[in-house]
Amino acid sequence: MNTKVKLISAIIAIILQPTSAFAADDKTDKDIEVLTVIGKHAHYKTDEAHAAMRSNVSLLNTPQAVTVIPVEVMDDQLVVTLGEALKNDASVSIGRVTTDRERFSLRGFTLEESTNLLKNGHQHFSKYRLPMALIDNVEVLKGPSSLLYGQSTPGGLVNLVTKKPTYDPFAELSVKGDENGSLRMGLDVGGSVNEKKTIRYRAIVEKEDNKNWREYQDGSAQESDFLVGSLMTDIDLSEDLTLSFHFDSSDEVAGQDSGALVAANGNVIGGDKLIWDMPWTKIDAQSQNYGADISYQLTDNWQIDAGYNNQHNERERWESKPQTQDDFDPETGIYENKPYDKLEDWKQQAFYFDFVGSVELAGMSHDLLAGGNYLKHEYSSLKVKGDKQQANLKDGNIILHQALDYADAKAKDESYKYYGIFTQDLITMNDQWQALLGIRFDKQEKIDADNSSILPKFGLIYHPSESASIYANYSESFEPQGDVTNDEDANFGLELDPVKGIMVEVGAKWELFSGKLRFNAAAFDIKRKNIVLEVNLENNPDFEMITTQGGIQRHKGIELGVIGEINEDVSLITSAMYLDAKYDAHNEYQGNHPEDVPQLTASTWLKYSISEDVALNFGAFYEDDRYADAKNSLVKSGYIRFDAGLSYAVPLAGNDLLVRLNVENLFDKDYLAGGENGEINVGKPRTVKFGLGYTF
């Protein structure tokens, strides 16, 4: 344990070593006004994360650990998926990745797809491929954030901030691809419609033809086609009133890949490239989002913001559902498949309002926020099962796709709505001290699952200087449960309490080099309690099981991070986390570590601008040993992966053609990535990626 903590310190020390040569200059020039010139190579530091406080508050005045991954980092890394962006924050672990979506954990707690992801501050349902072509930056809010956003798991939230309309006209053509044959072409345009620039727009379209390096048993590669389009407008109705509209739509058709099966010795059965699913498996998914936001400046000190978003997701799946975990026979190569077809439909409406302002009272400044949010979620599905069939890994026989009729399908419907109101006060007592006080009331309405909660939040900030802050905070989260609905359960009809998350966090933030580089550190202790426990009753003649509550999951850790500009030529984003996560109380997993949660993670991405036109990139990403399941029966070995890249701005027709060439997994390291229930993603081998971008 001490060795791992020392390793984190060593990583950060090495990264920060160049700052020693500039320490004297930073101290001397701290009062000099600095003008930032934006050139061809943009730097990485961002000073605000709007979702953290739901207002424009500096991160130095935010008593919470927050990471902002800007578009400049994602461009340099040729990011295509959200997981590729989130690898830049060591507190995020990527779990199982399937064709249509990715799973994540933050500080070791699962990020739920319906509650822990936001889009421009709206609750956003994320069980589909998220269109990163629309995203300007990614905000990672760490720890319980239920005060402002309602129900969620206690690890934190991820907020996707989309690109916005622009005042001045521009157009960018882009092409991305890789050595596997993937090709992605995009167009991004923006500007003002009228001469006064009171009507502005942004339109984006991207077409992806993706080819995976993994193959089905007939030798064909897993492929997917993805198309996304978006239109955003801002309309200034007056100097104080702005109305915004947004719409985006995506369509994906892709083959299925459930992941690999790993033997007890850690070897991948059948080889890294093998896909157990049948070649005819497919997913066909569509998503539409539309809505509006309004911002009205009531006075110099008071503003009201409100927004509405409507989301509709549809998906059809043709699954072979290989039963590799329980039914694979390594001697014969035979495994069972349980094919099915499934239609799914999700509808979600979200609304929020914020009333933001500031007042002076009793010699203290109060930055006030009062608001609320409402969400209505509806889900329906039809699932029809086929006949069980056997496949054989050794001879690679392909079972046929059965013709299934939805008239024989089993239907499922679910709906709920919840709403909450909250208030928050950031009190500035003097130049050194600030305090944050907040409280929320939240209510969920769902059949057999009505819940209500009252949640407090407290924070204290001390500023030893204008460029530093030390903070402490206490916050809570909640996850509504329902009644026990199984009549074979001894507690049938019992109303379950919400699962609660409680966190205490202390941290520090320090800006160096006239605010160009920020150092972050945090120590946290999060307890998730009232976990639902299910116990089988083997000798009970009346009931099969009993459901109770009382499980406790506790995660304690330390995070370190640096982001920004070391000098005019060098930018970086780097982080490390040590995490002690385990079940303190559980009928089955007591003392175990959660699935796929490493103790030590670290990431670094550095950009060195050789000249105004040429830049080099280097990345390193480390994950410690992890358990592949909650039973802790299989260990996935730790690994470190290195990436490298080069960008070159080539003059062309009066503008620059930006050419990027990146190599992911530079040294072709074999490793196991995320997973779920024994099915594990194999790390991608060395892959050459390229990107072209032309702005005019």
Side-chain angles (χ1 to χ4, degrees):
M1 177 176 174
N2 291 334
T3 301
K4 292 176 179 177
V5 174
K6 290 178 181 178
L7 178 57
I8 292 179
S9 302
I11 292 171
I12 297 298
I14 292 170
I15 293 167
L16 287 178
Q17 188 173 359
T19 66
S20 60
F22 299 87
D25 291 339
D26 178 61
K27 186 174 181 180
T28 302
D29 298 338
K30 65 181 181 179
D31 296 325
I32 297 177
E33 182 180 1
V34 176
L35 298 178
T36 302
V37 179
I38 304 298
K40 295 178 183 178
H41 302 298
H43 293 283
Y44 294 162
K45 182 171 172 285
T46 302
D47 294 323
E48 295 179 357
H50 187 273
M53 301 283 281
R54 294 186 74 93
S55 58
N56 298 323
V57 175
S58 164
L59 289 176
L60 282 178
N61 297 334
T62 302
Q64 180 180 3
V66 180
T67 297
V68 180
I69 303 166
V71 68
E72 291 81 10
V73 171
M74 294 187 282
D75 285 345
D76 286 343
Q77 295 177 348
L78 295 174
V79 161
V80 175
T81 68
L82 179 58
E84 291 175 350
L86 290 175
K87 72 186 179 192
N88 294 287
D89 189 337
S91 65
V92 180
S93 295
I94 301 175
R96 186 183 181 194
V97 177
T98 51
T99 301
D100 58 325
R101 64 189 190 275
E102 303 165 292
R103 286 81 158 176
F104 307 101
S105 63
L106 179 51
R107 289 183 169 177
F109 293 98
T110 299
L111 294 179
E112 294 294 339
E113 296 163 321
S114 58
T115 59
N116 285 79
L117 191 134
L118 312 172
K119 187 177 178 183
N120 293 329
H122 287 293
Q123 294 283 355
H124 191 76
F125 184 75
S126 59
K127 196 174 284 189
Y128 73 109
R129 181 194 291 268
L130 296 164
M132 296 304 292
L134 312 184
I135 304 307
D136 188 64
N137 63 68
V138 179
E139 300 174 347
V140 184
L141 318 180
K142 303 176 187 182
S145 298
S146 289
L147 172 72
L148 302 181
Y149 297 102
Q151 56 181 273
S152 61
T153 56
L157 299 174
V158 172
N159 182 45
L160 304 180
V161 181
T162 60
K163 297 173 181 177
K164 299 296 189 292
T166 60
Y167 284 87
D168 298 322
F170 88 100
E172 180 185 11
L173 290 169
S174 63
V175 178
K176 295 179 183 178
D178 61 39
E179 64 176 274
N180 297 316
S182 298
L183 190 64
R184 306 167 186 95
M185 303 183 68
L187 174 64
D188 183 357
V189 297
S192 296
V193 174
N194 58 347
E195 185 176 349
K196 293 183 177 181
K197 299 184 178 182
T198 57
I199 304 175
R200 303 172 295 280
Y201 74 96
R202 187 77 171 264
I204 301 170
V205 62
E206 184 176 76
K207 176 68 168 65
E208 300 181 14
D209 296 312
N210 300 305
K211 290 188 178 180
N212 198 348
W213 63 280
R214 283 166 53 84
E215 298 176 347
Y216 296 104
Q217 294 174 57
D218 64 356
S220 61
Q222 185 267 335
E223 299 183 35
S224 66
D225 296 325
F226 185 71
L227 175 66
V228 60
S230 173
L231 176 64
M232 293 156 280
T233 61
D234 286 348
I235 304 171
D236 294 335
L237 301 177
S238 69
E239 290 185 359
D240 301 319
L241 181 62
T242 299
L243 181 63
S244 303
F245 297 96
H246 63 269
F247 170 82
D248 65 77
S249 177
S250 66
D251 194 336
E252 178 177 30
V253 178
Q256 293 281 62
D257 181 0
S258 298
L261 179 65
V262 177
N265 60 6
N267 293 330
V268 178
I269 296 174
D272 290 356
K273 285 190 173 183
L274 175 70
I275 298 176
W276 293 74
D277 306 80
M278 294 296 110
W280 48 261
T281 59
K282 188 172 65 174
I283 183 169
D284 188 352
Q286 295 82 39
S287 176
Q288 295 85 36
N289 296 275
Y290 64 86
D293 296 87
I294 189 167
S295 179
Y296 182 46
Q297 191 72 39
L298 298 171
T299 68
D300 290 342
N301 295 325
W302 291 94
Q303 177 177 318
I304 186 167
D305 299 310
Y308 169 80
N309 186 72
N310 186 298
Q311 185 177 1
H312 186 196
N313 294 69
E314 297 176 284
R315 182 172 70 182
E316 185 168 14
R317 301 163 64 182
W318 296 269
E319 295 268 12
S320 61
K321 198 60 177 177
Q323 304 298 294
T324 54
Q325 187 65 25
D326 300 319
D327 296 318
F328 175 65
D329 186 340
E331 297 294 328
T332 64
I334 294 175
Y335 65 98
E336 191 173 73
N337 290 261
K338 295 182 178 180
Y340 67 83
D341 294 353
K342 190 173 186 180
L343 278 171
E344 296 177 281
D345 186 281
W346 293 270
K347 295 177 182 177
Q348 183 160 291
Q349 298 182 68
F351 168 79
Y352 78 90
F353 73 92
D354 293 335
F355 188 53
V356 185
S358 60
V359 296
E360 295 287 336
L361 184 64
M364 295 182 289
S365 173
H366 296 259
D367 292 316
L368 298 170
L369 167 66
N373 61 300
Y374 166 87
L375 184 141
K376 181 180 180 181
H377 181 92
E378 298 174 283
Y379 169 73
S380 62
S381 68
L382 289 172
K383 181 177 181 180
V384 55
K385 297 180 180 180
D387 297 328
K388 297 179 183 179
Q389 296 185 2
Q390 286 187 340
N392 194 308
L393 184 63
K394 292 188 175 181
D395 60 25
N397 71 300
I398 304 302
I399 65 174
L400 297 178
H401 184 203
Q402 302 173 38
L404 303 177
D405 190 344
Y406 281 112
D408 303 321
K410 181 179 179 180
K412 181 180 179 180
D413 294 282
E414 180 183 80
S415 66
Y416 64 86
K417 57 184 177 181
Y418 75 83
Y419 52 88
I421 54 174
F422 56 85
T423 183
Q424 176 179 278
D425 185 5
L426 178 63
I427 307 168
T428 301
M429 293 171 275
N430 52 45
D431 290 342
Q432 284 76 43
W433 290 98
Q434 292 177 296
L436 179 72
L437 304 175
I439 191 166
R440 177 189 183 92
F441 170 77
D442 203 278
K443 172 72 174 177
Q444 174 175 279
E445 296 178 4
K446 182 179 180 181
I447 297 176
D448 298 321
D450 283 352
N451 273 277
S452 62
S453 295
I454 296 178
L455 298 155
K457 183 172 183 176
F458 309 101
L460 187 65
I461 309 172
Y462 171 67
H463 296 275
S465 69
E466 292 182 357
S467 60
S469 62
I470 300 169
Y471 69 88
N473 85 55
Y474 171 91
S475 56
E476 296 184 2
S477 68
F478 76 105
E479 304 160 61
Q481 304 302 305
D483 294 349
V484 178
T485 57
N486 183 358
D487 59 9
E488 297 295 331
D489 194 299
N491 275 335
F492 173 64
L494 176 67
E495 183 176 339
L496 299 173
D497 294 328
V499 173
K500 281 290 191 75
I502 298 174
M503 183 189 74
V504 176
E505 175 180 298
V506 295
K509 303 172 186 181
W510 182 25
E511 296 196 337
L512 305 169
F513 309 156
S514 300
K516 296 178 181 178
L517 187 78
R518 183 171 57 250
F519 172 80
N520 306 291
F524 58 87
D525 186 342
I526 305 175
K527 182 185 293 186
R528 183 170 178 255
K529 63 181 186 178
N530 288 341
I531 295 175
V532 177
L533 306 175
E534 296 180 348
V535 181
N536 292 325
L537 300 176
E538 297 180 0
N539 299 317
N540 191 308
D542 300 316
F543 300 102
E544 293 181 354
M545 59 185 297
I546 183 170
T547 298
T548 61
Q549 289 182 276
I552 297 174
Q553 190 176 349
R554 191 168 187 180
H555 294 197
K556 297 179 287 185
I558 300 171
E559 293 173 346
L560 301 172
V562 182
I563 186 169
E565 176 184 346
I566 294 177
N567 58 39
E568 62 182 10
D569 297 324
V570 180
S571 295
L572 83 162
I573 177 171
T574 185
S575 60
M577 180 177 73
Y578 174 77
L579 180 64
D580 179 15
K582 65 180 181 179
Y583 291 95
D584 279 356
H586 201 282
N587 62 300
E588 188 175 1
Y589 304 134
Q590 184 160 336
N592 288 9
H593 296 277
E595 178 181 16
D596 218 36
V597 175
Q599 279 193 318
L600 177 63
T601 51
S603 68
T604 295
W605 181 265
L606 182 144
K607 175 170 66 178
Y608 172 55
S609 300
I610 298 175
S611 68
E612 188 177 351
D613 298 319
V614 181
L616 295 175
N617 296 296
F618 175 78
F621 306 94
Y622 173 76
E623 277 198 315
D624 200 2
D625 294 350
R626 298 139 289 149
Y627 287 104
D629 54 18
K631 295 179 181 179
N632 291 181
S633 62
L634 175 64
V635 175
K636 294 189 287 186
S637 298
Y639 68 91
I640 184 168
R641 189 193 90 199
F642 295 96
D643 296 355
L646 169 69
S647 65
Y648 181 38
V650 182
L652 179 65
N655 295 288
D656 288 324
L657 174 67
L658 188 57
V659 180
R660 289 186 171 92
L661 184 67
N662 285 10
V663 182
E664 183 178 322
N665 196 1
L666 181 64
F667 301 112
D668 203 21
K669 174 70 175 178
D670 291 328
Y671 67 95
L672 298 177
E676 184 179 71
N677 299 326
E679 294 176 331
I680 297 171
N681 295 115
V682 180
K684 188 186 297 185
R686 179 171 51 235
T687 304
V688 178
K689 304 190 294 184
F690 68 88
L692 302 172
Y694 187 70
T695 303
F696 54 94

